[in-house]
Amino acid sequence: MKTLIYSLFIVVCIGCMSCEKMAQDVTPPKVESQLVVFSFLSPEEKLVKVEVSKSKPVYGNAGGGSNIVSSATVTITNDGGLSVEVPYVDSLSAYAVAQSAYSIEPGRTYTVNVQAGGKTASGRCTVPQDSLSFSAVTFLSISQPSVGYDGPYFIYNYKWQDAAGQKNYYRVDVEKIYTYQYNGDTSETSENVCNSIWDDENKDGGILNGKCEDYSWQSDGSDVRVYLLNTDIHYYEYHRRRLNYYGDNPFSEPFQQYNNVQGGLGVVSAYRITSRMLKVN
């Protein structure tokens, strides 16, 4: 018996050494970094902004420091041929131009082109024509100390009518708004309560409605702004995947991120946006 156990031990050790040698002989593939481009265009925003960085390869040494690319040539061109070269703005860590200098117009198609380090990447999107508004937004304050909450929590209900005769995509965001004063100036900051992604599947031209529950109870005494975004498919598909991404959770299924950039990675998309302010007290 001892001889058999010893023989098995030798076999296992040899197997382990063989595995270790095989692992050492593996040569990881050579993968170059790619340009990563993000641009979300909207007529309602003050700036036309493009973020450019480089990806980190899975294999090899990606090097330290920032991945932001600040020396690219970035241009935006609409379907009428009107183009602008977008400068890099240090304070934003992005390329940006004011809408007063280059307007994003409803219904038009825009192409974002990026050149850097001998590489070219581009993405295209069409701005939704309609800017839709909520038909109703309400909130309800509920106190349930019996379930461990010290104060009331809030339920926000909202609804809007879908634009008929076309495929539509939406996003709803609920944010708490805080105001504070510093050196005599009044500033504003926000904190996200919840967000959701919608489409009008089987509800073309109908009423869409939903709700958001703020269990942190911190809405008490805060103003709340509710946003309705009418988006293109690229915005919808990217954020739908982001909202289902659980990071490094080993028990979550792999979820491929959305990409509509040719020659690189990222998203170029468009949306229209309206908002409703609520006084919560």
Side-chain angles (χ1 to χ4, degrees), residues 222-249:
S222 303
D223 291 335
V224 171
R225 185 177 289 132
V226 186
Y227 296 90
L228 175 60
L229 284 71
N230 182 18
T231 81
D232 68 352
I233 188 172
H234 306 303
Y235 186 104
Y236 170 84
E237 289 293 350
Y238 170 70
H239 284 91
R240 183 175 68 86
R241 286 164 170 77
R242 292 301 300 172
L243 292 176
N244 284 279
Y245 176 66
Y246 295 99
D248 296 326
N249 182 357

Side-chain angles (χ1 to χ4, degrees), residues 29-103:
K30 184 178 180 181
V31 180
E32 294 185 355
S33 63
Q34 299 185 65
L35 289 176
V36 181
V37 180
F38 282 98
S39 185
F40 302 97
L41 305 177
S42 174
E44 285 74 42
E45 300 291 354
K46 295 180 179 179
L47 295 176
V48 180
K49 190 166 70 171
V50 181
E51 297 179 1
V52 182
S53 60
K54 56 183 179 181
S55 64
K56 290 184 177 181
V58 175
Y59 301 102
N61 183 11
S66 172
N67 287 331
I68 296 174
V69 177
S70 60
S71 58
T73 299
V74 178
T75 58
I76 300 179
T77 306
N78 69 17
D79 50 10
L82 183 62
S83 180
V84 65
E85 183 170 332
V86 186
Y88 185 78
V89 180
D90 287 322
S91 60
L92 299 174
S93 298
Y95 298 80
V97 63
Q99 287 259 6
S100 58
Y102 188 81
S103 298

Side-chain angles (χ1 to χ4, degrees), residues 186-252:
T186 300
S187 300
E188 183 180 285
T189 186
S190 62
E191 177 185 351
N192 184 263
V193 175
C194 60
N195 54 69
S196 55
I197 293 292
W198 302 69
D199 68 7
D200 63 351
E201 185 72 26
N202 299 322
K203 291 188 177 181
D204 182 50
I207 300 295
L208 295 119
N209 59 78
K211 70 176 181 178
C212 161
E213 299 184 2
D214 180 13
Y215 287 98
S216 71
W217 60 264
Q218 295 178 11
S219 289
D220 193 19
S222 303
D223 291 335
V224 171
R225 185 177 289 132
V226 186
Y227 296 90
L228 175 60
L229 284 71
N230 182 18
T231 81
D232 68 352
I233 188 172
H234 306 303
Y235 186 104
Y236 170 84
E237 289 293 350
Y238 170 70
H239 284 91
R240 183 175 68 86
R241 286 164 170 77
R242 292 301 300 172
L243 292 176
N244 284 279
Y245 176 66
Y246 295 99
D248 296 326
N249 182 357
F251 300 103
S252 65

